Amino acid sequence: MKYLDIESLRALNLSLSFPTSSGDRHVLGRLEAYSCKAAGADKKLFRYLENKYLEDVEEAKDLSPEQSSLTNTVSPFGPLTQAASRKVLFYLIATLNASFPDYDFSSLSADQFTKEPSPDYCTKSISTTLLNVGCPARLRASRMWDCIDDVINIDECDVYSYTPDAESDPYEDEGPVWSFNYFFFNRHLKRIVFFTCRCISNLDELENASDQELVFGDLHDEPVETEHYPTSRYDLREMTIGGGLRL
Amino acid sequence: MSDVDEEIYSLALSRKDGVDNDTIEEKMPHLPAEALANAINRLLRVGKIELVQIGTLTLYKGVSMAELELTSKMNEEDRLIYKLIENSGNEGIWVRTLKLKSNLPQTIVNRSLKQLEAQDIIKSVKSVKHPTRKLYMLSTVSPSADITGGPWFTDQEMDTDFIDQLAKQCHHLIYAYSYPRHNPAMVYPVSHMGYPTASQIKRFISDNRVSTVELTTENIEELLTMLIYDGKIERIAPALDVDRGLRAGAGKPDWMYRALRIADKDSPLTDIPCGRCPVASRCSGSGAITPAKCSYLAKWLAF
């Protein structure tokens, strides 16, 4: 999957890191656009997935017909017996691999993805989530969905989401309060926009602080920096939260 | 290489974790401190030994000639990555940890990994605890049981059938020894010592070839712990009967396991009306509400 560097998405990404209105959490999101054109490692991944599927089919021959039909055909992409559905699974796995370079998602199965009812449903759900958590005016003003629409033409898309179990979650070591992973897949344009977002609690930092620090802290009257939002959990360590406790 | 260097080098190689200054002085008491320091420096420069710090202890680890040849062909970054991977032993190291520890940018790390993998020096492995993480270890090293899941996992998938079957077998064995055979409704007295221990169960399993893979005592104990949490068996004080050849107090205690019978009748204690009494908290030896005047008790006792 070739990463497409799009100016408008880059600008949006800067706005997608913000503290929640409750002040004790941070939302870190990013939007990435990929073209479904096969890059180097993709061919290998595709062959690997196809082989895995064929092996499963072979194994299924030993099972009863009822058991095998359940495990092999039902998938959010359509029946897995169709190559087209397997292709979509491949695109999604390749996108995850490209977006999270420290991870390898080739062991995922189709049932860890869900097909969303409609693109509209998803855009509304994402907007509601972000608004509820207090997204800054800058984000609201940036007309996020219009930008995304320019890239991928949302109405034409199939939208899938990845709901990992705890061990396969790329955000597992950050312990997020919530997270989502949406794929906007436009078959005709052969493009995917991957919208991933997580909300992590600042309170995790407190685990390492001693009781002394927790109670008395380091009370300065420092001006809060409002323009610089952390882009990762490691940046959070540098932040003074609300001018009070320095953790 | 001078004799002194040779001696120190072979000394370093002989210990797996390296030697510290004290050990070298012990083995080579005739060597003046300055000569020792010079020799160490020479060896370090050539790369024959390397410095390892464990806590406050400084050790000198010997680098074998084969490894030296291997690493001398690599550039700085590859060598660093190789050393980090080597140090992870059989646990493997995650790409992200590699990046953090080496402080190298992603592209360089990826390039090094690709090169090392192409030369078949390292291999990528998958852990059962984190199936999506990219782990690397040396090609010659076998992944630890922690990563592969041991006998309970086949190809990253938990073999639930195997586990269930084996657990059932263990439970049957324990049950057979837990209640007297001639009268199953009875129980053994408290002093009874004939319950099976983990090692006996292991012997039974291996003798009867119940499982195709070899199981260690730890594996059996894992299964038994699972059965304990399922409420099917309980662990009892270690067997102390030396005559029966059971280990007593030698390292880990040899626990005995007894099967639990699920009580199908309620305990008589739950029949007492006090459990369901609405004014139980106000009941005492004297006053308006006492057991002597209690109507619920009177009704219950009039059976």
Side-chain angles (χ1 to χ4, degrees):
Chain A
M1 306 293 288
K2 189 162 166 305
Y3 175 68
L4 302 169
D5 192 8
I6 299 180
E7 172 84 44
S8 54
L9 293 186
R10 247 188 298 141
L12 279 172
N13 280 332
L14 290 174
S15 320
L16 277 171
S17 301
F18 54 87
T20 62
S21 48
S22 55
D24 59 352
R25 300 181 189 150
H26 267 79
V27 173
L28 299 168
R30 58 177 198 270
L31 276 164
E32 293 169 349
Y34 292 94
S35 141
C36 298
K37 199 163 38 174
D42 291 342
K43 293 211 178 77
K44 215 167 81 167
L45 175 64
F46 184 63
R47 254 179 285 136
Y48 170 78
L49 289 173
E50 285 290 291
N51 280 341
K52 204 164 77 143
Y53 170 71
L54 290 171
E55 269 172 28
D56 284 344
V57 168
E58 272 300 314
E59 261 182 48
K61 290 198 179 130
D62 299 328
L63 299 169
S64 74
E66 172 186 293
Q67 232 177 342
S68 58
S69 69
L70 275 176
T71 51
N72 272 356
T73 47
V74 174
S75 97
F77 316 116
L80 279 180
T81 44
Q82 285 182 8
S85 334
R86 300 202 294 274
K87 202 70 192 257
V88 182
L89 175 62
F90 157 68
Y91 286 142
L92 299 193
I93 292 184
T95 308
L96 282 171
N97 280 351
S99 185
F100 298 102
D102 296 330
Y103 293 84
D104 178 13
F105 294 92
S106 46
S107 55
L108 289 187
S109 59
D111 55 6
Q112 289 175 306
F113 295 91
T114 16
K115 184 169 200 312
E116 301 297 323
S118 78
D120 214 35
Y121 178 87
C122 298
T123 57
K124 292 204 163 61
S125 155
I126 296 177
S127 302
T128 316
T129 311
L130 292 176
L131 279 169
N132 279 346
V133 102
C135 78
R138 200 169 67 195
L139 183 59
R140 268 177 274 145
S142 63
R143 321 201 59 207
M144 178 173 78
W145 292 115
D146 287 342
C147 294
I148 300 181
D149 200 34
D150 288 337
V151 175
I152 195 106
N153 201 337
I154 299 185
D155 294 325
E156 276 184 1
C157 289
D158 292 327
V159 191
Y160 301 96
S161 73
Y162 172 50
T163 29
D165 35 323
E167 28 176 55
S168 311
D169 193 354
Y171 296 131
E172 143 205 38
D173 51 345
E174 287 178 346
V177 181
W178 52 258
S179 67
F180 60 71
N181 303 287
Y182 284 103
F183 304 84
F184 291 82
F185 175 45
N186 190 321
R187 216 174 281 272
H188 308 287
L189 289 177
K190 286 197 163 293
R191 270 189 190 181
I192 292 188
V193 163
F194 179 48
F195 195 160
T196 178
C197 189
R198 74 240 193 229
C199 176
I200 53 187
S201 168
N202 304 344
L203 294 176
D204 288 342
E205 305 288 326
L206 291 178
E207 273 170 26
N208 300 329
S210 69
D211 282 337
Q212 178 93 13
E213 284 173 48
L214 279 176
V215 175
F216 300 107
D218 203 347
L219 302 171
H220 308 137
D221 276 348
E222 275 187 22
V224 180
E225 295 176 8
T226 45
E227 285 312 294
H228 169 60
Y229 293 116
T231 48
S232 79
R233 189 154 188 263
Y234 304 98
D235 286 349
L236 279 179
R237 287 186 199 277
E238 316 302 321
M239 290 278 293
T240 349
I241 299 170
L245 284 173
R246 178 184 283 275
L247 299 171
Chain B
M1 243 198 338
S2 76
D3 289 329
V4 170
D5 292 4
E6 268 294 345
E7 222 182 305
I8 300 184
Y9 179 49
S10 48
L11 197 60
L13 275 178
S14 65
R15 305 282 173 85
K16 186 165 103 64
D17 293 324
V19 291
D20 62 342
N21 256 327
D22 296 335
T23 325
I24 300 183
E25 278 170 22
E26 236 178 82
K27 295 285 174 133
M28 303 169 55
H30 52 274
L31 191 65
E34 202 187 315
L36 171 64
N38 284 339
I40 298 274
N41 276 334
R42 278 197 298 270
L43 288 169
L44 276 173
R45 208 178 310 135
V46 177
K48 287 240 166 73
I49 61 175
E50 56 177 8
L51 215 64
V52 172
Q53 198 127 16
I54 303 187
T56 46
L57 202 60
T58 329
L59 294 167
Y60 306 108
K61 236 170 84 161
V63 178
S64 71
M65 291 308 291
E67 200 183 317
L68 204 58
E69 217 186 293
L70 202 62
T71 50
S72 59
K73 295 198 211 121
M74 303 178 191
N75 61 25
E76 272 300 321
E77 295 119 6
D78 288 351
R79 203 175 309 147
L80 181 58
I81 303 256
Y82 172 75
K83 277 272 174 282
L84 284 168
I85 296 182
E86 188 191 26
N87 283 340
S88 69
N90 67 353
E91 292 287 331
I93 185 168
W94 187 22
V95 179
R96 185 173 289 181
T97 329
L98 215 50
K99 274 190 262 190
L100 287 172
K101 286 204 170 158
S102 68
N103 265 323
L104 294 169
Q106 169 141 340
T107 35
I108 304 226
V109 171
N110 282 352
R111 198 188 52 199
S112 291
L113 286 171
K114 221 190 302 198
Q115 249 188 340
L116 289 171
E117 215 177 336
Q119 292 173 26
D120 211 17
I121 299 177
I122 61 175
K123 64 181 180 207
S124 114
V125 289
K126 283 231 157 95
S127 160
V128 286
K129 286 194 290 211
H130 308 282
T132 44
R133 286 194 185 177
K134 282 194 203 160
L135 293 174
Y136 287 94
M137 63 173 63
L138 294 183
S139 331
T140 44
V141 173
S142 220
S144 70
D146 218 23
I147 299 191
T148 58
W152 314 126
F153 283 81
T154 26
D155 297 331
Q156 305 288 312
E157 256 185 60
M158 194 181 287
D159 203 345
T160 26
D161 289 333
F162 174 61
I163 296 176
D164 283 340
Q165 208 195 32
L166 210 56
K168 215 181 289 197
Q169 292 279 348
C170 290
H171 182 234
H172 279 164
L173 174 69
I174 298 176
Y175 196 91
Y177 280 90
S178 300
Y179 298 98
R181 234 163 283 193
H182 55 275
N183 189 348
M186 292 167 62
V187 290
Y188 285 121
V190 174
S191 53
H192 182 77
M193 286 287 164
Y195 304 113
T197 67
S199 34
Q200 287 180 317
I201 298 173
K202 171 173 171 250
R203 212 177 309 144
F204 172 79
I205 300 269
S206 53
D207 285 346
N208 294 16
R209 303 208 197 296
V210 178
S211 102
T212 42
V213 294
E214 265 221 23
L215 295 166
T216 66
T217 321
E218 277 80 37
N219 294 144
I220 301 288
E221 279 173 2
E222 283 170 4
L223 264 183
L224 294 174
T225 314
M226 185 182 92
L227 284 171
I228 293 179
Y229 288 132
D230 282 343
K232 297 214 173 93
I233 64 177
E234 63 174 354
R235 192 180 277 165
I236 313 183
L240 289 175
D241 200 350
V242 189
D243 295 342
R244 302 197 52 203
L246 301 167
R247 286 175 284 129
K252 272 183 4 172
D254 214 10
W255 301 101
M256 290 192 298
Y257 296 89
R258 176 174 167 267
L260 291 173
R261 219 181 252 153
I262 322 260
D264 37 31
K265 282 209 283 277
D266 286 315
S267 145
L269 280 173
T270 58
D271 283 345
I272 301 178
C274 303
R276 294 192 315 255
C277 175
V279 292
S281 52
R282 300 214 293 261
C283 184
S284 69
S286 57
I289 306 178
T290 73
K293 300 196 218 144
C294 178
S295 54
Y296 303 120
L297 271 177
K299 201 165 28 172
W300 183 58
L301 287 170
F303 63 94

